[in-house]
Amino acid sequence: MQPLRATRATASDPHAGTPPRRDPAPSRLSYRFHRLWLTPLYRSLLRVGIPTFLILTAAGWYFANPTNRFAIAEKAAEIRRSIETRPEFMVKLMAIEGATPVVDAAIRELLPVEFPVSSFDLDLAAMQAEVAALDVIRSVDIHIRPGGVMQINVVERVPALVWRARDRLELIDATGHRVATVTDRVARPDLPLVAGQGANLRSAEALSLIRAAEPLGARLRGLVRVGERRWDMILDRGQAILLPETNPVSALDQVLALDQAQDLLARDITHIDMRNPGRPTLRLAEPAVAELRRIRSLTLE
């Protein structure tokens, strides 16, 4: 009967046969880990620092091998070249607008580009600087036009004067900038001639005098810069008008007014000295001087 009681007592106990419940309190190690995880620096180190360090270490180990570096460089160059040589990036020809045939040929010789070529291989800024360095070019713009055309738009300097400078003849524009060299005066008979040191620096004043001298027509031969200070206007028949350093156009207008009123330039005169506009001086030709002397001798008799 004793074993039966023991069996009943065990069956009536609700906790009989179950394992003991686990203590819910965290362990000391787990507690410290959670405390560290709540620290921003520690959390950033685990999330960013360590992965970054591992990636950099792996990359450094990989790139430490020269073979790997060469393979990557070759692959990058291959990809880059495949993009640069796509049809939409290829330049097939050069078009030049605004240039005379001579300047057109000079530009093509200056820029010996072999077409077709990738637009990535063209240094447009350097090419534009080379073309702009030509004396005849006032402005230039180079760009790639749709359709694979390298468009070069130029504006040439317009020659306004022929400048005789010592042993050469230069074409200069209205600002005095050199345009080109000519071998002979007859190459540009349509342009007025200026001569003398520094004449190119006063080209605007020279053009003003030439415009003022339009009533003289074909009699005007040119202007000579004297001492880099003033102008002498040279006419045909060996005549010259010596102009002052200041207000030369006004002095020339006085001479033209006298010529219109008294046919001054039709007389036997070699020089009209206007260096002092308030006191013009005339220099007679040798035959006129001889005739004047003869008349004076007759008067004295």
Side-chain angles (χ1 to χ4, degrees), residues 26-41:
S27 65
R28 182 175 299 179
L29 181 62
S30 175
Y31 174 76
R32 290 182 176 177
F33 177 77
H34 281 290
R35 292 284 296 180
L36 287 174
W37 185 252
L38 293 176
T39 305
L41 179 61

Side-chain angles (χ1 to χ4, degrees), residues 136 156-162 171-174 179-180 188 190-191:
V136 71
E156 295 186 22
R157 297 183 184 276
V158 179
L161 296 166
V162 178
L171 297 180
I172 58 176
D173 64 4
V179 177
R188 292 303 301 265
D190 57 312
L191 297 178

Side-chain angles (χ1 to χ4, degrees), residues 8-268:
R8 288 178 180 175
T10 302
S12 63
D13 186 359
H15 299 288
T18 60
R21 294 174 58 182
R22 187 176 179 181
D23 187 357
S27 65
R28 182 175 299 179
L29 181 62
S30 175
Y31 174 76
R32 290 182 176 177
F33 177 77
H34 281 290
R35 292 284 296 180
L36 287 174
W37 185 252
L38 293 176
T39 305
L41 179 61
Y42 180 78
R43 191 164 57 247
S44 300
L45 180 64
L46 290 180
R47 288 180 175 178
V48 180
I50 293 177
T52 302
F53 173 77
L54 294 176
I55 293 173
L56 292 177
T57 302
W61 172 82
Y62 184 82
F63 283 104
N65 190 332
T67 304
N68 295 337
R69 292 200 304 271
F70 180 78
I72 291 176
E74 284 290 313
K75 189 63 176 178
E78 181 182 348
I79 295 173
R80 180 176 181 271
R81 197 62 190 167
S82 65
I83 296 174
E84 291 178 350
T85 55
R86 291 177 62 88
E88 57 267 29
F89 297 132
M90 296 301 292
V91 180
K92 304 176 183 64
L93 56 91
M94 177 193 301
I96 302 176
E97 292 186 5
T100 58
V102 174
V103 177
D104 186 294
I107 293 175
R108 293 183 185 277
E109 184 178 354
L110 186 65
L111 305 177
V113 181
E114 295 184 5
F115 297 101
V117 62
S118 173
S119 59
F120 292 94
D121 294 333
L122 297 174
D123 189 346
L124 298 184
M127 297 169 68
Q128 185 165 316
E130 286 188 52
V131 176
L134 295 175
D135 288 327
V136 71
I137 300 299
R138 189 176 73 183
S139 64
V140 57
D141 174 64
I142 302 179
H143 61 274
I144 304 301
R145 202 174 67 190
V149 178
M150 186 172 73
Q151 183 70 40
I152 303 178
N153 297 324
V154 300
V155 178
E156 295 186 22
R157 297 183 184 276
V158 179
L161 296 166
V162 178
W163 174 38
R164 186 184 299 277
R166 294 186 180 179
D167 57 347
R168 67 187 188 279
L169 289 174
E170 304 279 6
L171 297 180
I172 58 176
D173 64 4
T175 65
H177 194 286
R178 179 184 178 276
V179 177
T181 301
V182 292
T183 57
D184 201 326
R185 174 72 177 100
V186 297
R188 292 303 301 265
D190 57 312
L191 297 178
L193 176 69
V194 295
Q197 189 70 22
N200 60 318
L201 303 178
R202 302 303 294 267
S203 57
E205 187 176 68
L207 290 171
S208 299
L209 288 169
I210 291 169
R211 285 192 295 267
E214 286 181 357
L216 298 176
R219 293 203 57 192
L220 177 63
R221 290 291 180 263
L223 293 170
V224 177
R225 190 71 176 166
V226 180
E228 299 188 44
R229 295 182 300 103
R230 61 174 196 83
W231 296 99
D232 281 353
M233 180 169 285
I234 308 302
L235 308 179
D236 61 358
R237 294 168 40 198
Q239 290 182 326
I241 303 174
L242 283 60
L243 298 171
E245 184 176 350
T246 59
N247 297 325
V249 176
S250 177
L252 178 60
D253 289 338
Q254 293 182 42
V255 175
L256 296 176
L258 289 172
D259 179 59
Q260 186 176 7
Q262 303 179 13
D263 289 332
L264 180 64
L265 296 174
R267 301 176 185 274
D268 202 1

Side-chain angles (χ1 to χ4, degrees), residues 278-294:
R279 190 178 175 183
T281 303
L282 304 180
R283 184 184 303 175
L284 300 178
E286 192 60 36
V289 173
E291 181 65 18
L292 180 60
R293 288 173 179 170
R294 188 186 68 82

